[in-house]
Amino acid sequence: MDMQIVMDDLRNMGIGRQYLGYKLVIKAVRMIMDDDNRLLCIKREIFLPLAAQEHCDWRTIERNLRTIIHRAWKINRDYLTILARYPMNQEPTVTEFVEILSEHAMRGRSK
């Protein structure tokens, strides 16, 4: 599955490969695109599997993803709002963020 759309979105929000959460976001989006029911229990379905892959605690995964979200919100919240396709008054949660990116990637893939 081509994740170039997600990588481009991250770059547009000021997020590069130097962030620990960069690859985690891509992996999380890929997991959600494979099965969007994972959004219903993100700790069990996303954080724990990623933590096992990365040999760390699930809270580390969550923290790294929140760092990415904070950066995206700080640098280019307008772009994030465009991707979301609804008004955003505060930083999205991890679940919202990966859902926004996965939806955008799926829309882009179907074009």
Side-chain angles (χ1 to χ4, degrees), residues 79-93:
Y79 185 74
L80 183 53
T81 301
I82 290 167
L83 293 181
R85 299 168 75 176
Y86 58 85
M88 300 181 78
N89 299 318
Q90 61 188 22
E91 287 183 20
T93 64

Side-chain angles (χ1 to χ4, degrees), residues 3 5 22 31 69 75 86 111:
M3 297 304 288
I5 293 170
Y22 179 86
M31 292 168 78
I69 294 165
I75 298 298
Y86 58 85
K111 289 182 179 178

Side-chain angles (χ1 to χ4, degrees), residues 7-111:
M7 293 186 299
D8 291 346
D9 288 341
L10 291 172
R11 176 62 59 193
N12 286 331
M13 292 182 280
I15 300 158
R17 296 174 192 268
Q18 74 272 24
Y19 286 91
L20 292 173
Y22 179 86
K23 289 182 181 178
L24 296 173
V25 169
I26 293 169
K27 288 179 181 182
V29 168
R30 185 176 287 130
M31 292 168 78
I32 289 163
M33 289 176 73
D34 289 342
D35 180 5
D36 64 356
N37 286 323
R38 290 183 168 124
L39 288 167
L40 301 174
C41 188
I42 197 160
K43 178 184 171 187
R44 184 182 69 227
E45 299 292 335
I46 302 291
F47 296 165
L48 291 174
L50 286 177
Q53 287 177 19
E54 300 295 322
H55 308 289
C56 65
D57 189 83
W58 69 268
R59 288 173 283 247
T60 303
I61 302 297
E62 181 185 25
R63 184 186 66 235
N64 288 331
L65 293 176
R66 281 189 283 112
T67 298
I68 295 294
I69 294 165
H70 182 72
R71 171 89 176 158
W73 186 253
K74 181 179 172 187
I75 298 298
N76 200 346
R77 79 176 59 176
D78 291 338
Y79 185 74
L80 183 53
T81 301
I82 290 167
L83 293 181
R85 299 168 75 176
Y86 58 85
M88 300 181 78
N89 299 318
Q90 61 188 22
E91 287 183 20
T93 64
V94 173
T95 304
E96 290 170 325
F97 186 74
V98 293
E99 191 271 338
I100 289 165
L101 290 177
S102 65
E103 282 295 316
H104 184 247
M106 285 190 278
R107 284 192 310 269
R109 188 174 64 182
S110 65
K111 289 182 179 178

